[in-house]
Amino acid sequence: MQVRPELGEFSSIVCFKAVITGVEDTLGPDGAAVVFTRAGKVRGHDLVASLGLTGANLPIDQLAQALNSAIGKDGTRLCAVKAAFIDGENVVIDTDETVCSAGEEQGSSRQCTFTLGAVWGALEAVTGRMFLGSQTDSVLRGGKTDRFVLEPL
C-alpha cells in the first residue's frame, strides 16, 4: 500500500529531526526520550507483526537479518542493523546510520531513543519476552556503532 501517491512513503531526516527537537523543547530531554522510546517499541511490535514473525523466536542472527531487511537499506531506512549477538543473557544489537544520529555533531549527547525502541519492541514481539533496553555505545561519542543492549527481565 502506497501512502502518498505523488511523494511516496519516505520523508526527510531533517523533518524527522525537527519533530525530535520540537518534542524535546516541549517535554524536555527525559520526557522526549520516554515518548520516542515508547513510539519506537510500538513500531517494532507492528513491524514484526507485519512480517508474520510475532512469537517466531528466531535465532538472533536471523532476527538481525529480518530487521535489516525491514528497516535497513531495502526497507524503511531507519538504520542499518550491522550485527546481533548474545552476550551472557543479554542481546546486543549493533546499528549504523541511525536516523537519530544523522546530521549530529561529533560529541553530541543525542541518544537513539526511537531506534532503540524499535529494535527493543521487535525483539520482544519475536521472543514473547520482556527486556530492558539501553544504548551503550554511540557513533557520536567514539563508538563504532550505535549499540543497544537488551537485558531480559
Side-chain angles (χ1 to χ4, degrees), residues 105-133:
E105 302 262 340
Q106 281 298 309
S108 167
S109 62
R110 170 85 51 222
Q111 293 290 311
C112 295
T113 53
F114 183 79
T115 308
L116 166 62
V119 169
W120 185 351
L123 180 63
E124 287 184 343
V126 166
T127 64
R129 298 174 59 198
M130 300 286 290
F131 291 85
L132 178 60

Side-chain angles (χ1 to χ4, degrees):
M1 169 183 83
Q2 188 168 7
V3 179
R4 300 186 301 176
E6 185 177 335
L7 296 178
E9 297 184 27
F10 298 105
S11 66
S12 143
I13 289 173
V14 172
C15 290
F16 182 76
K17 297 294 285 263
V19 171
I20 291 172
T21 57
V23 172
E24 285 175 344
D25 285 349
T26 303
L27 300 178
D30 292 339
V34 170
V35 168
F36 287 118
T37 302
R38 180 65 189 142
K41 284 184 77 175
V42 169
R43 172 65 183 132
H45 278 267
D46 291 348
L47 175 66
V48 166
S50 75
L51 297 173
L53 296 175
T54 301
N57 211 16
L58 297 173
I60 195 63
D61 60 326
Q62 288 180 18
L63 174 61
Q65 291 172 356
L67 282 175
N68 194 52
S69 292
I71 63 175
K73 184 173 94 171
D74 296 328
T76 63
R77 299 177 180 240
L78 175 67
C79 68
V81 179
K82 294 303 207 180
F85 56 93
I86 304 294
D87 182 17
E89 292 185 1
N90 297 337
V91 176
V92 179
I93 300 181
D94 287 338
T95 62
D96 195 18
E97 294 191 42
T98 62
V99 72
C100 301
S101 294
E104 292 291 322
E105 302 262 340
Q106 281 298 309
S108 167
S109 62
R110 170 85 51 222
Q111 293 290 311
C112 295
T113 53
F114 183 79
T115 308
L116 166 62
V119 169
W120 185 351
L123 180 63
E124 287 184 343
V126 166
T127 64
R129 298 174 59 198
M130 300 286 290
F131 291 85
L132 178 60
S134 62
Q135 181 177 354
T136 60
D137 292 7
S138 171
V139 297
L140 300 173
R141 294 177 293 285
K144 292 183 182 194
T145 63
D146 288 313
R147 175 169 281 180
F148 307 126
V149 176
L150 299 121
E151 177 184 352
L153 295 176

